[in-house]
Amino acid sequence: MSYLFTSESVSEGHPDKIADQVSDAILDAMLAQDPDSRVACETFVTTGLVVVGGEVTTKAYVEIPDIVRDTIKKIGYTDDDYKFDAESCGVMVTLHSQSPEIAQGVDEAEGKEQGAGDQGMMFGYATDETEDYMPMALAYSHKLVQRLAEIRKNQSELMPYLRPDAKSQITVQYNDSGNIEHIHTVVISTQHDDFISPTDASPEARQKADDEMLERIKSDIMKHVIPDVLPSDYLKDTIFHINPTGKFIIGGPHGDAGLTGRKIIVDTYGGKGAHGGGAFSGKDASKVDRSAAYACRHIAKNLVAAGVASEVLVQVAYAIGVAKPVSLTVNTYGSANVPLSDSEISKITQELFDMRPKAIIERLGLKNPIFLETAAYGHMGRKPLAKPVPLQYIEVKSNGSGEEMVRRNSTKEVEYFTWEKLDYVDAIREAFKLR
C-alpha cells in the first residue's frame, strides 16, 4: 500500500529565517576578524524591533546594528508598509562573554585537546532519491521558495506584487517498496501587496477584489514557479493549494515574531532521518550542535554516493569537554549494498572519519566566515562553492609602551558547504571493497 510523506520550507523573509540570518551574519563578521571567536548569538524579531542577545568571546569589533540593518535590507524588508524595515526598525543588543566554566571544557591547553562545547547527539542523513542526496519533499520545497525569491529580486516584472515572506510544502507519495510514485500535494503561501482595490466600500466589492488577487497569484505561480521547479514526470493528479487561507498581506515580523533556531527541521532533512534538537545558526563551530551535524551529513552523503547503502543515518554523541565522541552509529535502514551489518559499517566509518571537534573544524574549514549562506533554504543539500571573502585579521604588536592591536585587511578564497563535498567517496569504496 502506498504512503505519503510531507516536508516544508520557508523563504528568507520568514521571521524565523530573518532571525537565523541576522545571527549568522554577526557570527561571520566576527570570524572575518578573529577566526577563534566564540559566538552563541540569538535573535528575536517582531514589529519594528530586533533584539540580539547571547554570549560572545572575541577580539573582533563589529557594529552589530549596522550588520542587522544590512542583513534585513538584503532580505528585502525596505518598505515601511511592511511594518518592519531595515531603516526604521529598532535594534537592541545585549551580549556578554562566554561562561568560563564552558570555556574550560572547550579550550585547548597543554596536554588537553579541544573538547565538545556541549553534550548531546547530532545526526546526518542522506538518500539517493535526488541528485543532491536529499529527501525529495524537502529538496523541492526549498526550490519553490527559492524561485519566489529569485522572481521577487531579479524578475519582478513577472510577479511585481511579491513580498519577502513565503512558505511551501510538498507531499510525496511512495509505493510499498519505498519508491517515489508522484508528488501528491503542493502548498505555497506567499506574502503579497494589496494590489487590486475594490470598486467601492461594500463587503461584496472587497471580496471580489480579494478573489481577483488570489486568482492572479495562483495563475502566476502555476506559470512562473511550478514549471521551473517541479519535474512534470512527477506531477500526476497533483493537488495544488495556493495561498489557501486567502490573502496574505500582513507577514514577516509584523505578522509573527521570529526566533533564531526555530526552523531546525527545515534546516536539515524535513523530518526524514532524525534530528538531535540543537539549532545551528548563530553558533561558532566549537558548538558540536553545528559542526558535528555538518560532519554527520558529510559522512552520510559520502557513504551513499560511494554505494555503501541507498539511505544512511549517522548519529554521533558527545560529552561536554571531551574530544572523542562517546558513540558513532550508522543506520542503513536495511538498504546496505555491502555484506556487512550496520555495526560493522559503523566501525569502518569510525576509522575513516576523525570526529573530534578540532578535526572536524579543520577538515571542513569551519573557522571561515561561511555561515550566512547556510541560514536560508537549508544547511544540507547545497552546492559546494568557493569565492573570495574580505577578512580583517588582528595582529598584536609590541611598541615602546606595550602592545597594540593592528587590523590588516585581506581577501581569502573560502570554501562554502564543504560538508556537501564528495571527497571521501574513493576512500570509502576502498575501505568497503567496492572497487
Side-chain angles (χ1 to χ4, degrees), residues 24 27-28 31 34-41 98 106 114-118 122 279-295 318 355-371 418-419:
D24 273 337
L27 169 63
D28 278 356
L31 291 174
D34 178 8
D36 294 318
S37 295
R38 295 281 169 77
V39 181
C41 177
Q98 184 181 52
V106 178
Q114 176 180 336
D118 201 353
M122 300 84 211
F280 304 152
S281 289
K283 297 178 181 178
D284 73 274
S286 71
K287 282 75 171 172
V288 284
D289 275 345
R290 182 169 217 162
S291 54
Y294 290 166
Y318 293 89
M355 292 296 283
R356 293 173 297 172
K358 183 178 180 180
I360 292 172
I361 291 167
E362 291 177 351
R363 181 163 73 245
L364 301 180
L366 299 182
K367 286 192 176 185
N368 291 315
I370 58 174
F371 297 108
T418 50
W419 49 95

Side-chain angles (χ1 to χ4, degrees), residues 20-325:
D20 285 342
Q21 289 166 92
V22 168
S23 292
D24 273 337
I26 292 168
L27 169 63
D28 278 356
M30 292 181 177
L31 291 174
Q33 293 184 28
D34 178 8
D36 294 318
S37 295
R38 295 281 169 77
V39 181
C41 177
E42 311 292 338
T43 302
F44 164 76
V45 298
T46 188
T47 304
L49 179 65
V50 179
V51 180
V52 176
E55 54 180 37
V56 171
T57 300
T58 183
K59 297 174 184 175
Y61 177 78
V62 298
E63 290 285 355
I64 290 176
D66 291 348
I67 294 168
V68 171
R69 296 184 191 282
D70 185 56
T71 304
I72 294 168
K73 183 178 180 180
K74 288 177 180 175
I75 293 169
Y77 284 96
T78 56
D79 190 329
D80 57 11
D81 281 349
Y82 302 162
K83 310 299 182 187
F84 180 86
D85 71 277
E87 296 298 326
S88 67
C89 69
V91 179
M92 294 177 57
V93 180
T94 170
L95 295 167
H96 58 86
S97 61
Q98 184 181 52
S99 160
E101 294 175 346
I102 294 176
Q104 71 182 355
V106 178
D107 292 342
E108 284 188 281
E110 186 174 349
K112 176 184 175 296
E113 292 184 278
Q114 176 180 336
D118 201 353
Q119 71 173 44
M121 66 287 188
M122 300 84 211
F123 292 91
Y125 176 81
T127 173
D128 64 2
E129 68 182 39
T130 66
E131 63 180 13
D132 296 325
Y133 299 95
M134 290 290 286
M136 184 178 185
L138 180 65
Y140 284 116
S141 291
H142 283 324
K143 292 178 190 298
L144 287 173
V145 284
Q146 282 179 298
R147 175 61 180 153
L148 285 170
E150 179 188 0
I151 292 172
R152 177 171 58 85
K153 292 180 175 182
N154 303 317
Q155 296 178 288
S156 59
E157 70 280 2
L158 299 180
M159 301 175 72
Y161 48 79
L162 289 178
R163 291 185 175 186
D165 197 356
K167 299 180 77 171
S168 64
Q169 183 174 282
I170 286 184
T171 300
V172 173
Q173 182 165 315
Y174 293 82
N175 63 21
D176 287 338
S177 301
N179 297 316
I180 295 168
E181 292 184 335
H182 67 107
I183 295 173
H184 183 276
T185 304
V186 176
V187 183
I188 299 177
S189 296
T190 182
Q191 187 189 14
H192 58 89
D193 294 336
D194 195 3
F195 61 91
I196 295 179
S197 300
T199 54
D200 58 54
S202 67
E204 293 79 13
R206 179 69 269 182
Q207 186 62 54
K208 184 172 185 287
D210 290 350
D211 291 344
E212 289 176 5
M213 275 196 298
L214 293 172
E215 189 57 38
R216 166 77 184 278
I217 292 167
K218 182 173 182 178
S219 175
D220 286 347
I221 284 176
M222 297 304 295
K223 181 178 179 181
H224 302 302
V225 177
I226 300 301
D228 281 24
V229 173
L230 303 181
S232 57
D233 290 349
Y234 289 109
L235 299 179
K236 300 172 183 176
D237 299 319
T238 302
I239 300 165
F240 290 92
H241 296 293
I242 311 299
N243 279 30
T245 62
K247 63 182 181 181
F248 181 9
I249 295 165
I250 300 170
H254 183 51
D256 190 12
L259 291 169
T260 300
R262 205 159 61 174
K263 285 292 178 284
I264 57 176
I265 301 303
V266 172
D267 286 342
T268 52
Y269 309 104
K272 280 284 183 101
H275 197 290
F280 304 152
S281 289
K283 297 178 181 178
D284 73 274
S286 71
K287 282 75 171 172
V288 284
D289 275 345
R290 182 169 217 162
S291 54
Y294 290 166
C296 286
R297 162 64 178 175
H298 186 223
I299 294 171
K301 184 175 180 180
N302 276 267
L303 286 172
V304 173
V308 173
S310 300
E311 184 180 17
V312 166
L313 179 71
V314 177
Q315 185 206 58
V316 67
Y318 293 89
I320 187 169
V322 180
K324 188 177 178 180

